[in-house]
Amino acid sequence: MKKQWFVILSCFILCSFNSNENEIKQLLSKSDTLEYVRLLKNNNSSQNYYFCLVSSHNWDYTFKRKGIDTPIVMQENDKFEIVSSLGYTLKNFDEMEGRKVKNENIIHTTFFSNYENSNFYKQLNSYKMKDCLVYILDIDNDGNEDFLNFGHADINSPWGFVIRMYIDNQWKKVFSEPYFGFYDWDKGYLWDTFDETALYDEWFESKPFPYEFVEYKGKVGLRIVCYDRPRERPTHYHAQFWAYYEEAQEYKKLEEVWESIGSTPADGLIFADAPDFLPVLGAKFSMLGSRLSTADLKGMDKAQLRLLRNAVYARHGRMFASADLQALFGGQIWYKPNPDYSDDLLTETDRANIALIKEFEKKQ
C-alpha cells in the first residue's frame, strides 16, 4: 500500500511540474525554446520561483549560435509571471576568452581554460546549471538560494562575474564587476589598434583560473587574480579581495595589489596566506534545528563535520578563537555574537547533534 501511495504521489508531483512548465512556456516568445526549469528554494511560503534556461531567437553571430536567456518566473497561486532575469549568459568559459588569429588559426588566451583544475571548480561545480555558466546555491545560509553567474556585468565590459542574493523578496546584485583584468590586457589585443605583443606565446600559456573563495584577514570572500602583459610592464599580476557586508547588502573591495616581478608566479602568490574556503554549506546549518541522523552526515568530510559541529555553538552566539570559524559564522545573517555565551545554552538536541558529529569525525 505504501508503494502505491508513493507512485500516486510521484505522478501527482510530475503532472503538476509539467503543468507549471507549460504555463511558463506561455510567457515566452513563440520563437524561444524552454530548455529546462528548476524550482528555487526560498522561505516565501506564498510564492514559488523558477529558474529557466531559454534558447533565444536572438542569433549570436560571434559564436554562431542562438543566445541564452535566463528568466526567473514567480508562481503565486495559479498565476505565473517573469519577475527577474539573469540576462544573457554564457554557455562555456571559452566564450570569455580573447579571440585572435595566430598563424591563420583562431586561438584563445588561457585565463579560463583551467576551470576544471581550479579551486573554484572544487568549490562550486556541484551547483552549476546545465548548459550555462550559472551557479545556484544558498551562499549566506538563510534558506534562500542565490545566483552566481558569468555574463553581462553592470560596468562597461562585455563579460563579468555577478552575484545575486535573495534579499527582501528579490535577487539583488551584490557583486557585479567586469572580468577582472579584461582591460589590463593590451587594448590593441581586443580592439582597433594592433600590437604584436598580443601574439606572444606567453599570452596562450596556461594560467590559474582567476576566481576563488578564500578566508583572508578574518573575512570570507572572493579573491580574483589576473596575470597581465601590458605595455607598461613586461610581467606582473593584479589581485583583489572582496567580502560581503550585510549592512550595505553588497560586496566591498577590501584590498587591491599590483605587483611587478621578474616572472609571473605559477600560483596565486598574492594573498597566499588565504586558505581555500567555500563560504557555504548549503542548507546544512538549518538542519541543526532538529536532531540529526546518520544519513544527514553521510558523505561529509572532516572539514565539513568540523564546521557543522561548531555551527551548533554559533547558533547560540559563541565567539571563536579560530579565525576561519569566526569569519565564516560572522558572515551569516543569523549569527549574533553573545559575550555571555556558555554551554548551558545548549539544548538536548544540540548536545545529541554534537555527539553524533564527533562520532563521524573520529571515523575520518
Side-chain angles (χ1 to χ4, degrees), residues 44-190:
N44 193 325
S45 59
S46 63
Q47 298 165 339
N48 288 327
Y49 292 92
Y50 301 90
F51 166 79
C52 307
L53 186 72
V54 176
S55 292
S56 171
H57 63 279
N58 297 317
W59 187 260
D60 186 330
Y61 289 98
T62 303
F63 297 107
K64 305 300 181 185
R65 61 160 172 76
K66 291 183 178 179
I68 298 174
D69 288 328
T70 48
I72 308 302
V73 173
M74 179 187 74
Q75 176 192 7
E76 189 168 21
N77 298 321
D78 294 327
K79 182 181 179 182
F80 291 77
E81 178 186 0
I82 296 177
V83 293
S84 185
S85 174
L86 306 188
Y88 182 86
T89 188
L90 299 171
K91 186 173 183 178
N92 301 303
F93 276 105
D94 63 5
E95 296 173 26
M96 296 185 72
E97 300 280 14
R99 296 162 63 86
K100 197 68 183 178
V101 175
K102 183 181 181 183
N103 298 329
E104 299 182 353
N105 294 315
I106 294 180
I107 52 179
H108 301 277
T109 54
T110 53
F111 288 94
F112 295 93
S113 62
N114 274 340
Y115 167 65
E116 293 187 0
N117 298 318
S118 69
N119 281 327
F120 191 94
Y121 177 94
K122 297 173 186 175
Q123 292 169 333
L124 295 172
N125 199 59
S126 62
Y127 303 99
K128 183 179 176 296
M129 295 296 98
K130 180 183 177 183
D131 293 333
C132 63
L133 298 182
V134 175
Y135 303 76
I136 300 178
L137 65 161
D138 182 2
I139 196 170
D140 55 352
N141 290 289
D142 64 351
N144 300 303
E145 288 189 311
D146 310 301
F147 293 100
L148 289 74
N149 74 285
F150 291 86
H152 283 294
D154 290 337
I155 303 171
N156 184 28
S157 173
W159 307 122
F161 185 49
V162 180
I163 301 176
R164 293 173 175 85
M165 294 171 60
Y166 190 77
I167 302 172
D168 298 330
N169 297 326
Q170 61 179 319
W171 282 273
K172 179 179 179 181
K173 286 184 181 180
V174 297
F175 180 86
S176 182
E177 292 290 316
Y179 160 57
F180 184 65
F182 195 89
Y183 290 120
D184 294 332
W185 301 353
D186 184 83
K187 294 180 177 61
Y189 176 77
L190 298 169

Side-chain angles (χ1 to χ4, degrees), residues 351-363:
R351 296 177 191 278
N353 288 340
I354 290 170
L356 182 61
I357 295 170
K358 283 183 175 180
E359 285 182 24
F360 272 72
E361 286 181 294
K362 290 177 181 178
K363 298 175 184 177

Side-chain angles (χ1 to χ4, degrees), residues 314-334:
R315 283 161 59 89
H316 296 284
R318 177 178 172 179
M319 291 181 282
F320 299 88
S322 298
D324 64 332
L325 292 175
Q326 191 60 42
L328 172 70
F329 297 124
Q332 308 304 311
I333 290 175
W334 48 263

Side-chain angles (χ1 to χ4, degrees), residues 179-228:
Y179 160 57
F180 184 65
F182 195 89
Y183 290 120
D184 294 332
W185 301 353
D186 184 83
K187 294 180 177 61
Y189 176 77
L190 298 169
W191 310 119
D192 297 333
T193 60
F194 181 74
D195 185 343
E196 284 292 340
T197 62
L199 296 183
Y200 288 174
D201 286 341
E202 60 189 356
W203 274 100
F204 309 100
E205 293 174 356
S206 181
K207 299 175 179 66
F209 190 78
Y211 297 93
E212 182 182 2
F213 282 99
V214 300
E215 184 272 315
Y216 180 67
K217 291 187 176 179
K219 293 284 185 182
V220 173
L222 184 67
R223 174 177 65 183
I224 319 175
V225 181
C226 178
Y227 299 88
D228 304 319

